[in-house]
Amino acid sequence: MCEATAYEEAAADPIYGFLAWGSVSLHLARVPDLDPARSVAACYLYVDNVDALHASWQAAEVDGRLTAITATPYGLREFAHIDPDGNLLRVGAPITPNTP
């Protein structure tokens, strides 16, 4: 079952939201002035094992640019993939006590 949570500004439509399906969480943002001809899209994926996914993508030699995994000040280990069209996909998992 998919669960949706929206965050709203006062007297406005939702500007940010989460979709969750099991252990997969997708974040979506409304960007009213986005010009698709000049702007790129961004997406964030929360996963259980960021290291395994990063290793899989490295081994697959996916097109685009894959960044190294880094620890963030907001408690996640994450990496980014920028596809050949310039779309940004960020992937992260919570830092746990046993995380390298």
Side-chain angles (χ1 to χ4, degrees):
M1 178 166 128
C2 185
E3 296 179 34
T5 305
Y7 291 92
E8 301 178 10
E9 292 181 341
D13 292 329
I15 59 164
Y16 195 84
F18 300 93
L19 293 175
W21 182 49
S23 64
V24 176
S25 178
L26 178 65
H27 293 220
L28 303 169
R30 179 175 56 86
V31 183
D33 58 351
L34 181 72
D35 178 356
R38 295 181 11 191
S39 301
V40 295
C43 180
Y44 198 102
L45 274 176
Y46 281 93
V47 298
D48 290 329
N49 190 331
V50 72
D51 296 282
L53 184 59
H54 189 269
S56 295
W57 286 10
Q58 273 188 316
E61 298 180 358
V62 294
D63 288 342
R65 184 167 50 99
L66 189 63
T67 68
I69 298 171
T70 59
T72 69
Y74 42 89
L76 297 173
R77 285 178 41 78
E78 64 182 29
F79 68 89
H81 176 261
I82 298 91
D83 74 14
D85 293 323
N87 298 303
L88 170 63
L89 175 62
R90 292 175 49 223
V91 180
I95 293 174
T96 61
N98 297 327
T99 301

